[in-house]
Amino acid sequence: MKEEILKKATQLFLNQGFKSITMDDIAREMGMSKKTVYTYYKNKEHIISESASYLFTSITGGIDIICSRKTNPIQELYDIKRFVLEHLNGERTSPMYQLQKYYPKIYQKMRQGQYDYMQSCVTDNLQRGIEQGLFISDINVQFVSRIYFTGMTGIKDEGIFPQSQFPATDLYEMYLEYHIRGIVTPKGRKILNKIIQSNHE
């Protein structure tokens, strides 16, 4: 029952935001009393913390599966982007922005986890891209991996990239193309252009 409540709460948070959803909403969606929800989670912050951890584990698990396929590094980045957007429901209500604003301690913990994971994942992607002749051989891998993380988290700032002007799907697409075009070789550019063309068909 505890995990079922967590899954439902996570879905609600993603659809409507961490701030908007109350314990009453979760109880109503589960068809149970609020008292029952409190049996498993002592307060809203507790369930938000568990939800953030659950979300992080689910997403990194899916990314691990994508990375284990060892497709070419450019295609891998697009596959990861697609998976994350589907998993976060396109972040229609910018849940991470709400988490940062209203629950900063939980956000910082999750952000650190994201950073540690992405450093490993992106570094491996960059090194394989260099080995396969798709990425420029003399790029500073540590610099590029950190810039990628900074940009990927930075574009979630609604103050700079309002959703009315930059829908989530378009924004991630633009940023990923921007990132890859800056480091590809002519060989890699051909693969990138083919993927972009295929996505637009």
Side-chain angles (χ1 to χ4, degrees), residues 43-61:
N43 53 41
K44 183 180 174 181
E45 189 161 341
H46 181 203
I47 200 168
I48 286 177
S49 178
E50 292 288 310
S51 178
S53 297
Y54 172 76
L55 194 59
F56 177 76
T57 301
S58 299
I59 291 174
T60 54

Side-chain angles (χ1 to χ4, degrees), residues 124-139:
D124 177 71
N125 179 275
L126 291 168
Q127 289 172 339
R128 284 191 294 111
I130 291 170
E131 290 166 6
Q132 294 175 29
L134 304 179
F135 298 154
I136 300 167
S137 61
D138 60 354
I139 58 172

Side-chain angles (χ1 to χ4, degrees), residues 108-130:
Q108 283 301 327
K109 182 181 177 182
M110 189 173 184
R111 180 180 166 84
Q112 186 60 51
Q114 283 180 319
Y115 174 74
D116 293 340
Y117 179 80
M118 279 187 68
Q119 272 298 100
S120 172
C121 181
V122 176
T123 297
D124 177 71
N125 179 275
L126 291 168
Q127 289 172 339
R128 284 191 294 111
I130 291 170

